């Protein structure tokens, strides 16, 4: 069994951070989004293939530096081919069946159990579905007896949505599905290919615990909460010499003596939070510096951001190297 992971998108909804950092390398609960997805892939798969595109070389270098339980091969696209085009471009040498994973979903799932169910039912594919209130950004399934998917509508208007069960971005597909994808041009797998596969029996695997897609700032922070609450954020607590509740995921080189922390915070490598500053429900990427008495709530701060003393940053996203606030106060 092999796994194909789609990781070629631009991550436009997380700009400006994604101008320099691919979405999947943003740390959530102390670990990159990509490695939270890797945690879902069974240890016994033979190989993981990454269909890369945007910032392919950055993803490649990151994966080389961070060990994985299986060999990882990256197959970059010269230009964005969409989900189906990316699958086709990386299809050489995949297994039959194979796992397909989006790289921006946060969930817990037993993929081996999904594979067993897929083999038992014998259809062309099995898609993990998550139940959500607002189906508008997703592909929505109509379910028949035995959880067979009778219809699949990509991003329908609410009145046209056949259910609240949406494509969770994790699936098992028969190898023959790859033959259905046209080559050499961008293809949306969900819009152009999946509806045509329904007559060959596509089944649902319903996710029952938690699921979110981490594609927008709000959902990224919600995903981080889910991971912490599931115990996937390390030991929790607060950095040495700091105060507050946490949990805070702390990377190497963090300095935060005298600062205070609320719930759900990730601090990347070499982050500094000065005394009297307060951070809550936020992600501060490597090298970011928050000066004294500043407050950061519900925000994403990319690498090497500087928040000046006394500033209040609420619900904001800053990209690499941004400076927030006026000139440094004396004594910094
Ligand atoms: P937005 O630009 O904010 O919509 O994010 P995105 O580019 O990641 O798009 P989306 O969230 O719809 O992508 C779903 C999954 O497919 C993610 O894992 C993406 O990395 C991946 N993906 C999207 N477009 C491409 C592509 O052109 N090629 C490849 N290989 N993967 C893609």
């Amino acid at each position: 069994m092999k796994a194909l992971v789609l990781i070629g998108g631009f991550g436009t909804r997380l700009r400006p951070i994604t101008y320099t950092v691919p979405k999947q390398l943003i740390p959530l609960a102390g670990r990159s989004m990509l490695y939270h997805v890797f945690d879902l892939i069974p240890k016994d798969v033979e190989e993981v293939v990454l269909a890369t595109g945007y910032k392919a070389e950055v993803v490649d270098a990151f994966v080389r530096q961070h060990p994985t339980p299986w060999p990882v091969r990256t197959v970059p696209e010269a230009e964005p081919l969409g989900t189906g085009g990316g699958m086709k471009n990386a299809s050489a040498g995949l297994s039959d069946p194979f796992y397909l994973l989006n790289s921006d979903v946060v969930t817990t799932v037993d993929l081996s159990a999904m594979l067993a169910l897929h083999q038992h039912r014998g259809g062309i594919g099995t898609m993990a579905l998550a139940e959500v209130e607002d189906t508008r950004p997703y592909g929505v399934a109509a379910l028949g007896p035995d959880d067979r998917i009778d219809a699949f509508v990509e991003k329908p208007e609410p009145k046209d949505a056949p259910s609240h069960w949406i494509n969770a971005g994790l699936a098992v597909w028969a190898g023959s599905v790859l033959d259905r994808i046209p080559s050499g041009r961008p293809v949306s797998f969900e819009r152009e290919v999946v509806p045509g596969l329904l007559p060959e029996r596509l089944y649902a695997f319903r996710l029952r615990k938690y699921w979110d897609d981490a594609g927008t700032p709000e959902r990224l922070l919600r995903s981080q909460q889910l991971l912490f609450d599931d115990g996937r954020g390390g030991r929790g607590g607060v950095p040495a010499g700091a105060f507050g509740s946490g949990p805070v995921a702390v990377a190497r080189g963090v300095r935060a003596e005298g600062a205070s922390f609320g719930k759900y915070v990730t601090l990347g490598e070499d982050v500094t939070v000065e005394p009297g500053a307060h951070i809550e429900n936020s992600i501060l990427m490597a090298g970011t510096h928050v000066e004294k008495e500043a407050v950061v709530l519900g925000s994403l701060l990319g690498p090497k951001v500087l928040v000046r003393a006394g500033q209040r940053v609420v619900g904001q996203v800053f990209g690499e190297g941004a400076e927030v606030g006026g000139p440094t106060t004396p004594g910094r």
Side-chain angles (χ1 to χ4, degrees):
M1 200 62 189
K2 296 192 180 185
L4 177 59
V5 180
L6 294 172
I7 181 172
F10 286 105
T12 52
R13 294 165 297 163
L14 286 169
R15 287 177 178 167
I17 290 192
T18 46
Y19 283 128
T20 58
V21 180
K23 168 165 75 173
Q24 291 81 357
L25 301 190
I26 296 174
L28 302 183
R31 195 164 163 77
S32 68
M33 195 188 296
L34 177 63
Y35 276 66
H36 284 296
V37 171
F38 278 176
D39 287 345
L40 305 175
I41 301 177
K43 302 280 178 289
D44 60 356
V45 307
E46 203 183 314
E47 183 184 44
V48 172
V49 179
L50 300 185
T52 55
Y54 181 62
K55 297 209 174 287
E57 61 301 334
V58 182
V59 173
D60 200 59
F62 188 89
V63 172
R64 302 288 145 238
Q65 287 159 11
H66 295 80
T68 53
W70 3 252
V72 177
R73 181 163 56 91
T74 51
V75 184
E77 292 154 38
E79 53 197 66
L81 291 173
T83 48
M87 290 168 69
K88 186 77 173 180
N89 188 56
S91 60
L94 276 181
S95 55
D96 177 17
F98 65 94
Y99 294 116
L100 177 70
L101 297 94
N102 282 2
S103 50
D104 54 358
V105 293
V106 164
T107 188
T108 177
V109 61
D110 181 346
L111 287 186
S112 302
M114 185 154 101
L115 175 63
L117 194 67
H118 171 80
Q119 284 166 332
H120 173 72
R121 285 160 161 173
I124 195 163
T126 299
M127 279 176 119
L129 302 184
E131 193 174 27
V132 300
E133 193 55 43
D134 181 6
T135 58
R136 279 174 299 179
Y138 305 112
V140 188
L143 295 167
D146 298 329
D147 271 355
R148 182 167 169 185
I149 299 178
D150 289 335
F152 185 78
V153 201
E154 188 63 18
K155 299 187 176 65
E157 286 298 313
K159 64 176 177 32
D160 301 324
S163 77
H164 283 272
W165 288 93
I166 58 112
N167 175 10
L170 309 160
V172 178
W173 291 107
S176 60
V177 160
L178 297 163
D179 303 331
R180 308 295 193 82
I181 305 172
S183 339
R185 68 166 174 87
V187 179
S188 163
F189 183 64
E190 298 76 17
R191 283 182 197 279
E192 291 185 53
V193 182
V194 170
L197 301 174
L198 297 176
E200 289 170 72
R201 287 189 293 129
L202 181 52
Y203 289 99
F205 184 81
R206 299 190 199 222
L207 299 178
R208 297 287 182 187
K209 287 193 179 156
Y210 63 88
W211 177 89
D212 215 329
D213 92 275
T216 67
E218 299 72 31
R219 292 209 293 263
L220 187 88
L221 290 175
R222 210 165 64 194
S223 297
Q224 168 160 271
Q225 292 188 17
L226 293 170
L227 291 166
F228 270 122
D229 288 345
D230 193 30
R232 290 168 69 190
R235 286 196 321 232
V238 296
F243 308 96
S245 63
V248 182
V250 182
R252 277 177 304 183
V254 165
R255 289 176 43 221
E257 296 84 6
S260 73
F261 292 88
K263 291 177 113 179
Y264 309 125
V265 176
T266 291
L267 302 178
E269 283 186 14
D270 300 320
V271 162
T272 301
V273 185
E274 293 188 4
H278 179 77
I279 319 285
E280 198 167 319
N281 187 32
S282 293
I283 296 170
L284 280 54
M285 293 181 64
T288 278
H289 188 134
V290 179
E291 292 184 345
K292 59 189 178 187
E293 313 291 333
V295 173
V296 178
L297 307 176
S299 295
L300 304 176
L301 307 185
K304 298 189 182 120
V305 170
L306 173 60
V307 179
R308 301 284 191 189
Q311 291 294 313
R312 251 183 100 74
V313 178
V314 182
Q316 297 197 63
V317 182
F318 288 102
E320 180 156 5
E323 286 195 27
V324 185
T328 312
T329 48
R332 183 194 142 195

